Amino acid sequence: TGRSMGINGQIESDKILPLRRVPFATMASSILVFGLYLVAIASIAYVGWRRTRTLSDYVLGGRSLSPFTAALSTGASNMSAWVMLSFPALAYSHSTRAVLMAVSLVAGQYVSVRTVAPRLRVYSEKLDDAQTLPKFLCERTGRSGKKGMLLRGLCSLTLLFFMLVYVASGLLASGKLLANLFDIPLSSAIIVGAMVIGGYTLLGGFLAISWTDVLQGLMMVMILVGLPLAMVSAPDAAAPAMGTPPDLDQSLGWTLVISSLSWGLGYIGLPHSVMRYKAIRDVGDIPAYRRILMGWLVPVFMGGLAIGLAARPWYQGASATLNEDLTLKMIELFFNPWMAGLALSAIMAAIMSTADSQLLLASVSFSEDILAPLLLHLSPTQRLRIGRWTVLSITIVSLVLVLQGSNTILSLVSYAWAGLGAAFGPVLVFALFWRRLSYGAAVAGVATGGLGTILLHTYPPVAGIYELLPAFVLSTLAIWLVGRYAGPDAAATAVFDQLDAGAARDYGQRSRSRLAT
């Protein structure tokens, strides 16, 4: 389900209320607040650039994040512009589906942090300080350096492909926001957004991203809670007689119910989410991290749902479309210019907090998992420089991709979410908990999940089914079959036994220390 918008900025629907033409002085107030936000972000990026000396600083911030910083950074990077633009629009027209999706995502995030985060934080550091997911999987299966090039290359290319789509969704969202704010063509606005996001990621690295994510996460929850409160407090008599959209809350079949509930599977192996697990300063901080993250996530979804429901008397969407300008129109209607500028900054924050993480992750995976094993003579400074040049290249390719198409934000996000979740979720769980995971099984799981998503998206076996669920199941089955019947992998088994024994020993020491204190 989606609403198509061409790059010329013309909305391809005919029953949407036009935005009010506000006076220049009023618009200038919003632009001023928005500009101050961008200055603050640029300042943080500069500080992050000055403190980034090594590749570890650039990728994981030296594994130094506090629970609060890590939690808000995780939430802000996961919940991109789609939760502020697409999710309220979905709640407006299909509230039952939106509720099911929200429940699935909250549950999926909780399960991921509860099960994956502790072991991944410990294991990734023990396995040669594995900073990227492809390197972790190779080290876990006993294939260091060039021995694991097949798996590292497959993981990196899969990650790069779907991250390009994900970054494209962020560029599209930034374009829609800037086009609305400055009244410029959408294509020009997308280019400006790409320059802002790409330049910020290019300079700051992981430290700057994580620091700004705290600010951006707070801004997101403030707007998602504040806007529906302003809407419900407005007198009903002031609402225009909009009628009821013809597709409002249409009945859900079993495929849509299952598809909506399957979104949470993506959290298990979402690369830009699990990289925060590795960046937490200590495994003992994870319980506090989990509580803060869940305490942020629940009001975010409740606020997005409330915006969509409260907009029904004020907004008339076109039939069978997803009206991703709904939140922007409600901000203009219910906020004064200063608050509107802050709200638009919060949406830009949601866009940047995800796009920058994806750009960073994709660039580092390409430079570290493809180039570094082949060019062993590279110094840390050269590797850092290559990572930054890769950010620029990925931004340009994503920009070309979004300018060529006419997709919605949610359609791009759902495709990338499915591909990343199916390719990396099952293999990550098996890597952390299954002794018999072999190198061949890891290759089979990533390949099946990634290619399966592409094929199932193009040729769905059941109309309306979300490709994440069948691709995830197929990847899980491929890993189990290869690991079970293709023969033992002595190198991978030895690594798991060593990690498992070390984890048990560390846990015992921490337990005795807590009892002593």
Side-chain angles (χ1 to χ4, degrees):
T1 303
R3 176 172 57 88
S4 172
M5 178 182 285
I7 63 171
N8 60 359
Q10 299 301 315
I11 300 174
E12 299 174 3
S13 56
D14 56 1
K15 297 183 180 179
I16 302 177
L17 286 178
L19 288 170
R20 298 176 296 165
R21 295 293 94 194
V22 296
F24 174 77
T26 302
M27 183 176 67
S29 301
S30 299
I31 294 175
L32 176 61
V33 175
F34 188 79
L36 291 175
Y37 162 76
L38 292 181
V39 170
I41 293 299
S43 301
I44 295 175
Y46 173 75
V47 175
W49 173 69
R50 292 294 301 270
R51 289 192 55 176
T52 299
R53 293 290 178 265
T54 67
L55 188 69
S56 179
D57 292 336
Y58 190 66
V59 180
L60 293 179
R63 297 183 185 265
S64 61
L65 296 190
S66 67
F68 183 79
T69 301
L72 266 67
S73 180
T74 302
S77 63
N78 290 344
M79 295 294 103
S80 58
W82 77 269
V83 83
M84 302 194 74
L85 298 178
S86 302
F87 185 71
L90 182 64
Y92 165 83
S93 57
H94 304 294
S95 59
T96 305
R97 184 180 172 193
V99 169
L100 293 175
M101 185 186 297
V103 170
S104 175
L105 287 167
V106 171
Q109 179 70 91
Y110 180 84
V111 171
S112 178
V113 177
R114 187 84 182 186
T115 59
V116 173
R119 290 199 176 207
L120 183 61
R121 173 62 182 85
V122 174
Y123 288 4
S124 63
E125 189 170 20
K126 290 182 179 294
L127 292 175
D128 194 28
D129 193 25
Q131 297 167 12
T132 66
L133 195 54
K135 182 180 179 182
F136 169 77
L137 293 174
C138 288
E139 296 289 340
R140 162 62 183 86
T141 53
R143 304 304 195 277
S144 301
K146 292 185 178 181
K147 295 180 181 178
M149 275 305 299
L150 174 60
L151 179 57
R152 290 182 77 162
L154 178 63
C155 289
S156 185
L157 292 176
T158 301
L159 190 150
L160 186 62
F161 174 79
F162 288 108
M163 280 300 182
L164 285 172
V165 179
Y166 221 141
V167 172
S169 74
L171 299 184
L172 177 60
S174 67
K176 290 186 177 184
L177 173 62
L178 295 174
N180 173 74
L181 181 60
F182 297 104
D183 196 21
I184 59 177
L186 182 62
S187 57
S188 301
I190 291 173
I191 295 173
V192 173
M195 294 172 61
V196 172
I197 295 171
Y200 161 66
T201 310
L202 188 70
L203 289 177
F206 190 83
L207 282 175
I209 288 171
S210 299
W211 292 337
T212 54
D213 279 352
V214 174
L215 171 63
Q216 293 162 340
L218 293 173
M219 292 174 64
M220 288 171 63
V221 74
M222 178 179 65
I223 298 304
L224 285 170
V225 172
L227 180 57
L229 290 177
M231 294 170 67
V232 298
S233 63
D236 292 337
M242 298 306 302
T244 302
D247 62 339
L248 191 65
D249 275 334
Q250 65 181 16
S251 59
L252 294 177
W254 68 269
T255 55
L256 284 180
V257 171
I258 294 176
S259 295
S260 300
L261 290 174
S262 67
W263 271 73
L265 293 173
Y267 265 129
I268 296 176
L270 199 65
H272 57 280
S273 178
V274 300
M275 72 183 296
R276 264 70 182 180
Y277 303 165
K278 296 183 287 185
I280 298 173
R281 65 190 177 192
D282 186 82
V283 68
D285 290 330
I286 289 179
Y289 161 81
R290 182 179 66 246
R291 289 191 292 269
I292 296 170
L293 176 57
M294 302 310 297
W296 180 91
L297 196 62
V298 171
V300 161
F301 277 115
M302 292 180 65
L305 184 64
I307 291 173
L309 295 178
R312 288 178 174 179
W314 301 88
Y315 182 90
Q316 173 67 74
S319 175
T321 60
L322 190 62
N323 304 293
E324 293 174 333
D325 58 347
L326 181 149
T327 301
L328 298 176
K329 292 185 177 182
M330 295 303 103
I331 288 172
E332 184 179 314
L333 284 173
F334 292 98
F335 279 168
N336 63 49
W338 298 100
M339 279 300 297
L342 186 62
L344 295 175
S345 299
I347 296 176
M348 191 66 182
I351 297 167
M352 293 180 64
S353 61
T354 298
D356 54 19
S357 296
Q358 294 157 350
L359 278 172
L360 177 69
L361 186 61
S363 67
V364 170
S365 180
F366 177 76
S367 61
E368 288 300 292
D369 297 317
I370 294 180
L371 295 184
L374 299 176
L375 304 173
L376 299 176
H377 63 279
L378 292 176
S379 67
T381 302
Q382 291 173 320
R383 292 161 66 184
L384 177 59
R385 189 178 299 119
I386 290 174
R388 283 175 162 156
W389 276 108
T390 310
V391 167
L392 181 60
S393 302
I394 293 172
T395 304
I396 294 173
V397 174
S398 296
L399 177 61
V400 173
L401 176 65
V402 72
L403 290 177
Q404 294 298 318
S406 57
N407 298 287
T408 63
I409 299 169
L410 187 58
S411 66
L412 292 170
V413 170
S414 64
Y415 184 43
W417 186 278
L420 295 170
F424 296 107
V427 71
L428 182 58
V429 173
F430 278 107
L432 296 173
F433 293 98
W434 198 40
R435 184 173 183 266
R436 298 190 61 166
L437 176 74
S438 63
Y439 181 76
V443 171
V446 174
T448 303
L451 293 176
T453 299
I454 297 173
L455 293 175
L456 291 166
H457 177 80
T458 307
Y459 308 104
V462 179
I465 195 72
Y466 184 27
E467 58 267 20
L468 171 58
L469 179 60
F472 193 97
V473 172
L474 289 175
S475 177
T476 302
L477 187 60
I479 295 171
W480 183 80
L481 288 174
V482 175
R484 180 72 175 81
Y485 296 106
D489 187 332
T493 303
V495 170
F496 182 83
D497 290 341
Q498 183 180 3
L499 290 172
D500 201 42
R505 182 172 60 251
D506 292 344
Y507 177 77
Q509 290 173 352
R510 289 196 301 271
S511 298
R512 287 191 295 272
S513 176
R514 284 194 293 269
L515 288 174
T517 56

